[in-house]
Amino acid sequence: MLTILFDGIAYGMLLFVLACGLSVTMGLMNFINLSHGVFSMAGGYITAFLINRLGVPFLLCLPLAFLFSAALGMVLERTLYRRLYARSHLDQVLFTIGIVFMAVAAVDYVIGSQQQTVKLPEILKGRIDIFGGSIGLYRVFIIALCGCLAVTIQMLLVKTRFGSQLRAAVDDPRVARGMGINVNTVFAITFAVGSGLAGLGGALGTDILGMDPTFPIKFMIYFLIVVTVGGTSGITGAFFASLILGIADVGGKYYVPQIGAFIIYALMLVVLIIRPQGLFSRSKGK
Amino acid sequence: MSIALATHDLVKNFGGLRATDHVSLTIHTGARHALIGPNGAGKTTLINLLTGVLTPSQGNITLEGENITRLSQHARVQRGLVRTFQINQLFADMSPLQSLCLAVSERNQQGRDWWRVAGSDKAHVDEAEEILTRFGLRDVMMQQTRFLPYGKQRLLEIALAIACKPRVLLLDEPAAGVPEEERHEIIDILAALPKDVTVVLIEHDMDLVFSFADRISVMVNGALLTEGGVDEIARDPQVRAVYLGESGHE
Amino acid sequence: MAPSAHQMMLDQARWRWSESLFWLSSLAVLFVFPSKALLFSQIAIMGLFALSLDLILGYGGIVSLGHAAFFGVGAYAAGLMAKHGMGDPLLGLGVAAFVAAVIGWLTSFLLLRGSDLTRLMVTLGIALMLFELANRMAPITGGADGLQGMMVGPVLGLFSFDLFGKTAYLYALTVLFLLFLLARKIVHSTFGLSLRAVKGNALRAGAIGISVSGRLVAIYTLSAAFAGIAGALSAQTTQLVSLDVLDFHRSADVMLVLVIGGVGWLYGGIIGAIMFTLMQDWLAGITPQYWEFWIGLVLVCLVLVGHDRIKTGVQSMVARLGGKGGAA
């Protein structure tokens, strides 16, 4: 019981790191992006490559995965995605699905369809007993790391100058420009950091979630659930939505395996019916 | 005199903000009633409550004695409560003729007709064409609305409401953004509205208000400050202080 | 003398001779390339499926990422009927349409509130749930192995399905044509005009007395029925139903098909289906495994170039063929 709860929390934390970039770009910037998983996949694959081919230690791979995906995100944002901010939602959907299809087929072609594996360092293997439950050390590590990240991101958004610039840019780009904020740069940095976090999540998640070319499609729905259930008011909603989703998914698969993924889809629909703006968004005026 | 539209103790809260504050308003049949007040006084919110775009937090609304507080937007329109918008809300991809035909057909409960070609009912098209002619839009009635000049769009905005045969017409700043030299077209249209149609006018242009209205309500911070005849309001020192005095024209 | 307003309204729905040409040639291809009949029936079915999506996307303004839900439901309905001794094709179509319409009607209420994003999620969520459901109910649906043992009877008791797909194509084309006529009737009616109004400006549509929710529920239900029939056609003509009918890919593909041909234009879905299926056929011959990549590339390019421009291009081409005015 405790083990499952713990696994669920670890899974949820992981989902948060994977999806929080999306909750900013999609939730705040109102840009429908179905290709977020591509950046996670990039992070996962670069990690597998670094560890298995070059023997880079796992812990060093994590920041590298972040940087790699962030750079990829930055380049694609500058060249492609930014053209779509002002386009219709249909265009955004079509474009980002196209990116997903291309990425999936390209990875399949270049690397192959087999699962990627990463060797975890000895120190993260093994289990410890807490309160009578046996918990994998790696999961403890994930919870600690992702917890720190969540706090850091929240601080960045709320306390720093960049955070307030971002909020201003999202609220009304024209006014923000008038105030001397370089909106394009703010968006580009946000997109890059979000992609980087997705890459980091992919690196961390390779061992738990599995990593193969279909990753962006398989997990697209999870990311979307986090964003829609979490609401669009900020990343706090996404954080709690991730935890709920993680626990519900792990718990559901353990206790009622016969209905499988059914439980989370049903959960999402119920939330969307009751609160179309998401669970944690304050109802906006006007 | 009978009462066309009334609100009783109407309240609307947005989170902590009270946009409409215990408004009780009575509008008599056939009145030319203006609603004025500084920006942010809650006039548009009140219109949105009256037409069913928003639901009030408290209080109720009656149209000719019937409680319409819980009725949907379109049900209110079918009962004759029709509005125009401060910012044009038109069907950009349709022609004025199509827009008007649709409004006329909807009024005649033909909007769900999925078998006959739109415009089969000649009486409806003729009525649409008549309104378009009256509004000086006949020449452009086959063009796509998005390509019409702003002044024409503003006229279409009112024409669409007229096609719904309103008993009570709510005009939200009908002359907003219309250049001085085209303003008279709007004023003429308003003056020519049938006398039995009750008109509620929200407007910033005081010349228009004073020439058109016979009764004026003043809103400040979501609440009704005062109400009275045109001269009364013009002389009221309170009104001068909060509204006329400080903002002059705009 | 200038035509009257009444005449101008009616003119917009006039049947153009380029349309007759289009349908006659769709029949003629069977006799020119009889060996391709199976491919043609695939095109007709895909065209019907895309047409059904157009009803909600192009005319209702609802972006759906889960339209395969209705295609799949229709396919399973017809497939299960054929498996359990009720192999009459038209009965199968009717039941498939009914079941899909019921599910469409029930779920349409979830789409009335909320933004594009919420609608996207709700449609996607419903399709995924149905996929899981079909996957878990293996004793009934055959699960991952697909539905085995369908016995489809002859159409109208007269025309048996042959190996070359000739009957299949004529059957699918006839159904497509009839449903196309119905859809054409509907989009040119006052109801269709009111849908355009709702899509264009829902706020104003409500303000001229249109019940926005009522119209969206109606068109969504109709669209679901059309998609269900497309699914049933697919099940009957291929005698095969697998989980694939409910797959996310199918929802994405049909969107691509529609966008290639043009959204909000009844011929768009059909023209898109022709281009898509021929392209798929051709690409699958070159790179069977990775043709997904090219689909993705087409999507990306379409958006960057602007799909409206392509639609306008095709329409003006058709107009030139047809003498004047765009068709449908």
Side-chain angles (χ1 to χ4, degrees), chain B:
Chain B
M1 230 187 327
S2 59
I3 292 165
L5 182 68
T7 69
H8 308 279
D9 207 21
L10 209 58
V11 175
K12 178 67 189 178
N13 300 318
F14 291 121
L17 183 80
R18 177 157 290 181
T20 307
D21 191 1
H22 298 284
V23 170
S24 295
L25 187 68
T26 304
I27 292 156
H28 292 281
T29 307
R32 296 287 180 267
H33 199 124
L35 195 59
I36 65 171
N39 277 324
K43 297 171 306 240
T44 296
T45 304
L46 183 61
I47 292 250
N48 284 337
L49 288 170
L50 291 174
T51 50
V53 175
L54 296 170
T55 344
S57 315
Q58 186 188 317
N60 63 59
I61 305 160
T62 55
L63 178 68
E64 297 178 332
E66 184 192 3
N67 187 339
I68 57 163
T69 320
R70 302 275 150 217
L71 283 187
S72 65
Q73 227 180 319
H74 62 270
R76 297 181 200 208
V77 177
Q78 280 153 12
R79 281 166 179 72
L81 179 60
V82 185
R83 72 176 293 187
T84 67
F85 292 83
Q86 183 185 348
I87 298 162
N88 283 340
Q89 299 289 341
L90 300 168
F91 306 119
D93 294 328
M94 287 162 50
S95 67
L97 180 62
Q98 285 175 321
S99 309
L100 268 277
C101 280
L102 179 62
V104 173
S105 300
E106 286 293 340
R107 198 190 75 223
N108 290 299
Q109 309 287 325
Q110 303 277 310
R112 276 184 300 268
D113 183 340
W114 55 270
W115 187 249
R116 291 183 310 157
V117 174
S120 298
D121 209 323
K122 191 160 184 310
H124 295 177
V125 187
D126 289 345
E127 186 183 338
E129 194 180 4
E130 184 272 317
I131 297 172
L132 287 166
T133 312
R134 186 144 43 99
F135 277 72
L137 292 167
R138 202 190 174 283
D139 296 341
V140 294
M141 71 182 180
M142 289 305 287
Q143 287 180 20
Q144 250 189 33
T145 299
R146 68 165 78 248
F147 299 122
L148 296 185
Y150 181 80
K152 295 278 183 206
Q153 291 193 4
R154 207 63 199 144
L155 285 166
L156 181 59
E157 176 74 35
I158 302 172
L160 259 181
I162 297 300
C164 301
K165 275 235 171 94
R167 300 165 66 77
V168 178
L169 177 61
L170 309 174
L171 297 167
D172 196 350
E173 297 193 31
V178 179
E180 201 59 45
E181 59 276 15
E182 289 172 34
R183 223 153 236 256
H184 66 94
E185 290 185 26
I186 306 264
I187 294 172
D188 293 347
I189 290 287
L190 296 186
L193 289 173
K195 288 295 157 220
D196 57 334
V197 175
T198 310
V199 181
V200 179
L201 173 75
I202 290 185
E203 190 50 77
H204 274 303
D205 183 336
M206 281 307 128
D207 296 336
L208 183 56
V209 168
F210 286 128
S211 68
F212 177 76
D214 49 28
R215 211 162 170 80
I216 298 176
S217 294
V218 186
M219 274 188 93
V220 177
N221 293 332
L224 273 184
L225 179 73
T226 182
E227 194 195 309
V230 175
D231 298 339
E232 226 177 306
I233 295 296
R235 281 195 310 266
D236 191 324
Q238 231 183 332
V239 176
R240 289 179 103 66
V242 299
Y243 187 67
L244 299 177
E246 65 180 28
S247 55
H249 252 292
E250 205 344 276

Side-chain angles (χ1 to χ4, degrees), chain A residues 161-210:
Chain A
R161 213 173 105 76
F162 181 78
S164 47
Q165 284 187 341
L166 173 63
R167 274 175 288 131
V170 167
D171 264 359
D172 193 333
R174 271 203 324 206
V175 172
R177 275 197 194 96
M179 282 158 47
I181 296 172
N182 190 338
V183 173
N184 288 343
T185 314
V186 170
F187 281 175
I189 292 174
T190 309
F191 198 92
V193 173
S195 306
L197 285 168
L200 175 61
L204 284 169
T206 303
D207 191 56
I208 294 182
L209 308 175

Side-chain angles (χ1 to χ4, degrees), chain C:
Chain C
M1 197 188 83
S4 72
H6 184 225
Q7 200 51 50
M8 285 195 261
M9 283 296 288
L10 297 183
D11 264 1
Q12 290 163 348
R14 216 188 54 223
W15 182 269
R16 290 158 220 281
W17 70 262
S18 54
E19 294 182 76
S20 307
L21 190 69
F22 178 86
W23 290 103
L24 282 176
S25 32
S26 70
L27 186 64
V29 288
L30 180 62
F31 302 100
V32 183
F33 309 101
S35 63
K36 292 278 182 193
L38 281 171
L39 187 69
F40 294 152
S41 50
Q42 262 183 47
I43 292 178
I45 293 166
M46 189 50 122
L48 178 59
F49 188 30
L51 173 68
S52 78
L53 180 67
D54 203 16
L55 288 177
I56 57 166
L57 180 63
Y59 294 91
I62 298 172
V63 183
S64 167
L65 262 189
H67 209 52
F70 306 114
F71 186 91
V73 164
Y76 274 110
L80 285 170
M81 299 252 313
K83 187 186 173 182
H84 295 107
M86 288 167 285
D88 182 64
L90 293 184
L91 182 68
L93 287 191
V95 172
F98 178 76
V99 176
V102 168
I103 294 181
W105 182 74
L106 287 173
T107 52
S108 66
F109 294 94
L110 309 179
L111 299 171
L112 296 179
R113 296 194 299 165
S115 57
D116 278 352
L117 179 58
T118 326
R119 287 172 167 180
L120 216 69
M121 292 304 296
V122 170
T123 49
L124 181 61
I126 290 163
L128 286 167
M129 277 176 80
L130 287 172
F131 183 87
E132 277 297 313
L133 201 67
N135 192 13
R136 300 286 153 174
M137 297 200 322
I140 302 172
T141 60
D145 299 331
L147 198 62
Q148 310 286 336
M150 282 172 62
M151 296 287 286
V152 184
V155 183
L156 296 171
L158 296 173
F159 310 102
S160 303
F161 287 102
D162 54 298
L163 275 177
F164 312 102
K166 203 175 139 204
T167 312
Y169 179 57
L170 289 174
Y171 174 50
L173 184 65
T174 311
V175 173
L176 170 67
F177 181 61
L178 292 176
L179 290 178
F180 173 86
L181 287 183
L182 179 63
R184 194 178 186 283
K185 199 85 185 143
I186 290 171
V187 302
H188 286 299
S189 69
T190 310
F191 175 83
L193 195 57
S194 75
L195 279 178
R196 277 173 69 184
V198 168
K199 184 194 175 201
N201 191 337
L203 181 65
R204 189 56 189 251
I208 60 167
I210 297 174
S211 160
V212 173
S213 314
R215 300 294 150 86
L216 288 181
V217 166
I219 195 65
Y220 198 74
T221 307
L222 182 78
S223 160
F226 272 40
I229 292 176
L233 280 178
S234 158
Q236 291 170 348
T237 54
T238 61
Q239 316 248 342
L240 183 83
V241 183
S242 68
L243 277 179
D244 177 59
V245 292
L246 285 163
D247 200 67
F248 170 71
H249 255 283
R250 194 172 287 274
S251 299
D253 284 352
V254 70
M255 205 175 229
L256 170 65
V257 165
L258 181 57
V259 170
I260 296 178
V263 181
W265 178 52
L266 287 178
Y267 283 97
I270 302 172
I271 289 174
I274 296 170
M275 290 162 69
F276 178 86
T277 314
L278 292 181
M279 191 170 74
Q280 188 184 35
D281 197 47
W282 176 63
L283 282 174
I286 309 170
T287 53
Q289 260 173 299
Y290 308 110
W291 83 283
E292 216 178 45
F293 179 86
W294 303 105
I295 292 289
L297 189 67
V298 170
L299 274 171
V300 167
C301 295
L302 262 180
V303 174
L304 288 180
V305 174
H307 49 81
D308 281 344
R309 232 178 286 171
I310 295 170
K311 173 183 160 190
T312 321
V314 174
Q315 271 177 333
S316 68
M317 216 163 69
V318 172
R320 230 171 294 149
L321 278 173
K324 64 171 187 180

